[in-house]
Amino acid sequence: MTVLAYLQAIETPSDRARFEALYRAYRGLMFHVADRILRNTQDAEDAVHQAFCVIAEHMADVPAELGPRARALAVTVAERKAIDLYRAKRRHPTADLDELPLSCDQPLPSDGSLAGAMAALPPRYREVLLLKYYNGYDNGEIAGFLGTTQENVRQIIFRAKGKLAAELAERGETV
């Protein structure tokens, strides 16, 4: 699908230009993230399409400039949509995908650092914490990006902080 189909849903010319730049910069990365989860090209394309639909609906909350915040947002929304699609296709999952670590080529840091503890968290917890505290989004914006409620985001943050504190304590770090 071309960027033109998404642009029809966006009202202002400046938002259209921002969306087009975001689309051109991150569509390949978003596809790669979705394909890594779904392991199916067509499903990955569907997940990326759904992610861009969500981003188009929330253009007011998308950073004005391309950069780490916009990239993190695009990747997170694509990953969430891929996981949603994965769950829809698997009506009888044997394990909750949020609790499974994503496959990565590099080993997790084991030096007792905060980065190592964050890497050990389930993906959903890690993503929400990063969107909230590293990228500076508020709960309403995160809820819009992930297609959930602000109360759910608040609860995920609460649980994620608890898991992070437990992980740091297990590693011998003070909280």
Side-chain angles (χ1 to χ4, degrees):
M1 177 176 265
T2 65
V3 73
L4 293 175
Y6 301 112
L7 293 177
Q8 293 174 352
I10 302 172
E11 295 179 19
T12 66
S14 63
D15 283 349
R16 285 186 190 125
R18 284 184 24 236
F19 181 86
E20 187 173 357
L22 185 99
Y23 178 87
R24 293 189 191 287
Y26 301 124
R27 70 177 181 250
L29 176 62
M30 292 168 71
F31 176 80
H32 175 73
V33 167
D35 191 46
R36 187 181 66 201
I37 292 168
L38 295 166
R39 306 232 186 267
N40 180 305
T41 302
Q42 290 80 19
D43 289 345
E45 289 172 355
D46 289 345
V48 171
H49 167 72
Q50 291 173 8
F52 275 118
C53 288
V54 168
I55 291 170
E57 289 174 10
H58 298 281
M59 277 309 293
D61 300 325
V62 174
E65 300 293 323
L66 294 181
R69 285 187 73 205
R71 182 181 188 273
L73 172 67
V75 168
T76 299
V77 174
E79 189 172 55
R80 298 307 326 155
K81 289 302 175 183
I83 290 171
D84 290 347
L85 188 58
Y86 178 87
R87 285 187 180 147
K89 295 215 174 257
R90 297 279 202 152
R91 295 287 182 215
H92 305 144
T94 56
D96 187 24
L97 190 58
D98 281 343
E99 300 303 321
L100 297 175
L102 293 177
S103 62
C104 58
D105 297 335
Q106 298 178 358
L108 297 176
S110 59
D111 59 358
S113 67
L114 178 60
M118 285 289 291
L121 291 176
R124 185 164 189 98
Y125 290 170
R126 183 175 57 246
E127 292 164 352
V128 171
L129 285 177
L130 289 172
L131 285 172
K132 174 79 174 179
Y133 296 107
Y134 184 74
N135 293 303
Y137 290 105
D138 65 32
N139 292 1
E141 292 170 327
I142 296 169
F145 296 140
L146 301 181
T148 188
T149 64
Q150 286 188 38
E151 179 59 28
N152 190 18
V153 169
R154 188 190 64 73
Q155 188 67 6
I156 291 169
I157 291 170
F158 177 78
R159 290 179 183 158
K161 285 179 181 179
K163 263 202 178 282
L164 183 60
E167 183 67 33
L168 286 169
E170 184 178 304
R171 293 168 179 255
E173 295 287 320
T174 57
V175 182

